[in-house]
Amino acid sequence: MTATSPSPAVPTAGTWSAPGRVNLIGEHTDYNDGFVFPFAIEHRTRVDLTTGRDGVIRVRSSFAPDPVELPLAELDALFPARRDEITEWARYPLGVAWALLDETQTDPASVTGVDLLFSSDVPVGAGLSSSAAIEGATAAALNDVWDLGLDSVALARIGRRAENDAVGAPTGIMDQTAAMRGRADAGIFLDCRTLDAEIIPLGFAAAGLEVLVIDTRVSHAHSTGGYRERREACERGAALLGVPALRDVSVDDLPRAEELMDDVTFRRVRHVVTEDQRVLDAVRTLQGDGPRAVGPLLDASHASMRDDFGISTPELDLAVTTARAAGAVGARMTGGGFGGAAIALIDHELVPAATSAIETAFADAGFTAPHIFTVHPSDGARRDA
Ligand code: GLA
């Protein structure tokens, strides 16, 4: 491992990028084969790719300048069994390279060596999927340079495999799908069982609305603890109900579910089942009555995550209640929970007052100052140069 910069004589093969995401609604439904409705945001991770030494992959980033370099032929022995030997951030791009070669049964000796340099403005630890942005940028770049011919659905699957097996975080496929398949001004209504996606125009700007992100700056870690536990509770609930996944349970089945399981498992199940329904309702409401009418569904989603799924925090709850009191049409935490960010759908002209109300409320509560900014639905992974 050396820290030398690429020689200026080596031509840049290209630049690719992929975005972070905000999930509008549909939380912890993806790994239950359910529905989600995220959108890609304008914050992106960019990768400059140069062809590297034969048979070698080298990754560097502006946030962890020490390069990690290894023979492509060694990836297979490393993932998943020996992943702990790799610096955590580097598991994302190296995991994508491994999953791409493995899924396509490509001989590592047949592809060009690569040198990948990452930079990003996706906030890390905010629940905005900085990891899926790295995966998406890497997958798009290597798919092109290695001429693998995979489409965006397959590349999202590759990203999830890297996250699950190379990083060890038991996530679903929502974030990678948003990073790969996002579109400007639109949300992605995704069926996580079939991976069929509908691109749904959101019309926020036309309605005078903004999506305000309130990053609580309380960090979260999906690969540990709470996320895994919630996933296990969902699997337990589905097994007790005799179905492959909670996707197969409807709101009408909940009274029967309540009799079959302990209270905590039941509340986890109820969140997922009602959240799936809220995603379907949100898409229908948006298309019928417009974006403003979606607000109450966002509020109900937050209440369900706070009370039934148990993944909110005092900071997220304060962000949501303060945004609502400041005139937001709806607000909820977004992403995996246990910290990270909340979103509020709010009139453009109310943004400054809501921002200072939230800042004041956080200061009064003695919480870390939040990072508050607007986001706009943006395009997914692409080649930029
Ligand atoms: C994280 C995971 C996603 C999804 C969300 C919760 O962002 O990466 O797969 O499960 O949490 O909806």
Side-chain angles (χ1 to χ4, degrees):
M1 293 192 194
T2 49
T4 52
S5 305
S7 142
V10 178
T12 298
T15 299
W16 286 256
S17 66
R21 65 98 188 91
V22 148
N23 188 17
L24 195 56
I25 194 160
E27 223 64 86
H28 287 261
T29 45
D30 60 354
Y31 56 77
N32 288 298
D33 274 4
F35 303 101
V36 293
F37 194 20
F39 62 85
I41 59 177
E42 62 266 52
H43 301 78
R44 302 182 77 85
T45 293
R46 166 187 149 122
V47 59
D48 296 314
L49 185 150
T50 52
T51 46
R53 277 201 294 136
D54 269 359
V56 170
I57 182 166
R58 182 180 199 245
V59 295
R60 286 177 300 146
S61 93
S62 56
F63 42 89
D66 278 350
V68 177
E69 179 174 318
L70 65 139
L72 286 162
E74 275 181 23
L75 290 171
D76 210 33
L78 210 57
F79 295 125
R82 290 167 39 212
R83 63 182 175 224
D84 292 351
E85 292 173 22
I86 300 288
T87 312
E88 198 182 350
W89 84 265
R91 291 177 209 160
Y92 294 91
L94 295 176
V96 167
W98 160 72
L100 277 170
L101 295 174
D102 189 63
E103 293 275 336
T104 58
Q105 293 291 294
T106 300
D107 178 357
S110 71
V111 296
T112 177
V114 283
D115 189 332
L116 305 170
L117 174 60
F118 292 88
S119 52
S120 182
D121 66 356
V122 184
V124 174
L128 301 178
S129 287
S130 55
S131 59
I134 298 184
E135 291 154 2
T138 310
L142 294 180
N143 184 51
D144 285 356
V145 170
W146 289 346
D147 201 16
L148 300 173
L150 298 180
D151 64 15
S152 60
V153 180
L155 293 177
R157 278 206 179 95
I158 292 286
R160 177 182 54 180
R161 185 159 173 220
E163 182 111 19
N164 292 171
D165 296 342
V167 178
T171 64
I173 200 162
M174 169 172 71
D175 306 342
Q176 293 77 15
T177 299
M180 289 310 307
R181 300 169 78 182
R183 291 276 186 79
D185 302 322
I188 307 148
F189 170 39
L190 176 71
D191 178 333
C192 298
R193 173 167 278 167
T194 62
L195 300 189
D196 287 341
E198 232 181 291
I199 300 298
I200 312 266
L202 292 170
F204 291 156
L209 292 170
E210 297 279 2
V211 177
L212 194 63
V213 170
I214 305 114
D215 173 7
T216 65
R217 299 173 65 213
V218 176
S219 68
H220 66 124
H222 287 155
S223 48
T224 52
Y227 187 97
R228 191 181 297 274
E229 237 177 62
R230 295 305 181 280
R231 189 170 177 154
E232 283 164 4
C234 293
E235 283 161 7
R236 195 163 59 241
L240 287 166
L241 284 158
V243 292
L246 291 181
R247 152 68 174 276
D248 302 300
V249 180
S250 78
V251 173
D252 292 341
D253 296 325
L254 287 174
R256 182 169 73 91
E258 192 164 15
E259 285 172 11
L260 283 175
M261 54 194 76
D262 64 90
D263 180 56
V264 170
T265 309
F266 172 65
R267 287 190 293 113
R268 306 303 187 235
V269 167
R270 183 166 61 187
H271 164 70
V272 172
V273 171
T274 57
E275 185 79 350
D276 267 335
Q277 187 58 49
R278 280 186 289 271
V279 176
L280 301 176
D281 291 347
V283 172
R284 211 187 34 236
T285 303
L286 185 78
Q287 291 178 320
D289 301 326
R292 237 164 246 282
V294 171
L297 291 163
L298 304 185
D299 296 341
S301 172
H302 185 77
S304 178
M305 288 187 283
R306 182 191 59 211
D307 302 337
D308 273 353
F309 218 56
I311 57 172
S312 191
T313 63
E315 292 85 350
L316 288 166
D317 292 342
L318 184 63
V320 163
T321 49
T322 312
R324 289 286 282 117
V329 302
R332 62 186 285 278
M333 53 146 283
T334 189
F338 308 103
I343 54 167
L345 191 59
I346 187 163
D347 279 294
H348 178 77
E349 55 275 17
L350 295 180
V351 166
T355 301
S356 66
I358 297 165
E359 284 167 352
T360 304
F362 270 57
D364 289 350
F367 294 158
T368 303
H371 179 206
I372 304 176
F373 50 98
T374 55
V375 291
H376 304 93
S378 302
D379 286 330
R382 61 173 184 236
R383 181 169 190 163
D384 295 312

